[in-house]
Amino acid sequence: MSLKVDESRRLYRQIARHLRDLIDSGEYPIGGRLPSERELADRLQVSRTSVREALIALEVEGLVRINVGSGIYVLGTSALRATKHSGENSIEGPFEILHAREILEPSVAAEAAILADCEHVGTLDRILAQMEKSGGSDKWISLDREFHVAIAAFLSNGMLARFIGQLFDQRMNPYFRRLASYFEDANTWSQALAEHRVIRDAIAAGDPEAARQAMRQHLKLSQERFSRGFGEVAVPSHRLGKVTPVLSSRAESPHELQTKTSRRKI
């Protein structure tokens, strides 16, 4: 299996197209299982996060099904699914979005720590109290957005606040929502809430460097949460295509799976 890379197109879309072509050609038949996420990354010499984004895209299209702890199964070909790819260029990959936020929002938080007053901190306290009561739900996403946009708004720069909001809104695209469905739960929401409180405390203390680091850590940990292993086990090549679920005895840790989307192994 090889992948000819076009630097003008996002890597995960090229991987998705490559796998789609292999499925359409019958190399991976309907009902069969694709190689594991790790094996695909090794074969294509790309990061696991790029493979994960590609697999999520194929699942949204209805071509594969990801069974955590079992594997990735082929549901149909592009022709059978009547899949349309014309709009794919308008959808950003989940890890692209998180990495963009990791670059931008720490600086915003640092500036907010310099400018925030008691009223601003009170706004964050109100949002955090509502987040705690929400217990994790669609309301949580709305409040999460409000928290991050509020911090940007402390800078009295309407364009920057709108941009942060628009960047966060990409979290609602179908690829990101599907990825989140595998890894978000009451535990991850609790972790995120604690991380938001650290950001709040740094801003309230007027400590720009602490605010910068707290925001960076929060977004880095968000990426790690979405990078946990699906739990599939690689299947020997002579068995590829057979539906024989195998449970993993161990899921890789976030540290093992964390790969920045900006770094490619090609």
Side-chain angles (χ1 to χ4, degrees):
M1 181 188 295
S2 62
L3 178 67
K4 183 178 180 181
V5 175
D6 179 355
E7 294 294 342
S8 67
R9 298 182 65 244
R10 286 180 175 84
L11 182 58
Y12 85 90
R13 291 176 184 155
Q14 296 178 64
I15 297 169
R17 183 179 295 276
H18 183 73
L19 294 175
R20 195 183 299 121
D21 289 344
L22 291 175
I23 291 170
D24 289 345
S25 72
E27 181 159 343
Y28 299 114
I30 296 173
R33 180 160 56 179
L34 266 64
S36 71
E37 183 183 59
R38 181 185 295 278
E39 187 175 351
L40 286 170
D42 289 343
R43 289 187 186 185
L44 297 173
Q45 287 298 289
V46 295
S47 71
R48 290 189 66 173
T49 52
S50 293
V51 170
R52 176 162 299 192
E53 287 177 321
L55 292 172
I56 290 294
L58 293 178
E59 187 174 44
V60 170
E61 292 170 14
L63 300 186
V64 303
R65 180 183 72 251
I66 299 169
N67 282 353
V68 176
S70 173
I72 306 150
Y73 298 92
V74 179
L75 297 182
T77 64
S78 295
L80 288 175
R81 296 288 164 178
T83 306
K84 295 181 180 179
H85 312 300
S86 58
E88 69 175 2
N89 290 332
S90 65
I91 301 180
E92 310 297 343
F95 291 99
E96 282 187 293
I97 297 166
L98 288 169
H99 185 55
R101 291 182 61 196
E102 185 185 358
I103 292 172
L104 179 63
E105 291 194 56
S107 294
V108 172
E111 190 71 14
I114 297 172
L115 300 174
D117 57 25
C118 291
E119 184 177 349
H120 292 140
V121 175
T123 297
L124 297 183
D125 287 340
R126 173 184 59 79
I127 297 170
L128 290 172
Q130 291 180 313
M131 292 175 82
E132 185 170 18
K133 290 179 182 178
S134 73
S137 63
D138 286 342
K139 180 63 174 174
W140 167 278
I141 303 299
S142 170
L143 291 167
D144 193 6
R145 181 188 192 279
E146 188 177 352
F147 181 87
H148 287 271
V149 172
I151 291 173
F154 298 168
L155 279 60
S156 299
N157 186 317
M159 180 171 289
L160 184 58
R162 284 195 300 276
F163 183 71
I164 293 294
Q166 291 168 358
L167 188 58
F168 189 96
D169 288 343
Q170 290 296 314
R171 193 187 191 288
M172 304 309 292
N173 77 44
Y175 295 175
F176 207 126
R177 287 178 70 89
R178 183 61 62 91
L179 179 66
S181 71
Y182 288 111
F183 300 110
E184 286 190 329
D185 54 28
N187 183 53
T188 62
W189 285 321
S190 177
Q191 291 171 11
L193 178 59
E195 292 157 19
H196 281 88
R197 286 186 173 130
V198 175
I199 296 168
R200 175 267 180 209
D201 290 347
I203 291 174
D207 188 334
E209 190 54 34
R212 186 194 310 276
Q213 293 303 323
M215 182 66 78
R216 179 176 290 118
Q217 179 73 352
H218 166 54
L219 294 170
K220 179 175 181 289
L221 290 173
S222 294
Q223 293 180 65
E224 289 185 356
R225 284 189 281 271
F226 287 125
S227 296
R228 293 202 307 266
F230 280 131
E232 76 277 16
V233 174
V235 183
S237 59
H238 68 277
R239 291 174 57 197
L240 290 177
K242 293 184 179 180
V243 183
T244 49
V246 180
L247 291 178
S248 173
S249 60
R250 169 183 174 275
E252 286 80 6
S253 69
H255 177 72
E256 290 173 316
L257 296 182
Q258 177 67 13
T259 307
K260 289 185 178 292
T261 53
S262 59
R263 191 180 79 183
R264 300 175 180 174
K265 302 179 187 175
I266 52 176

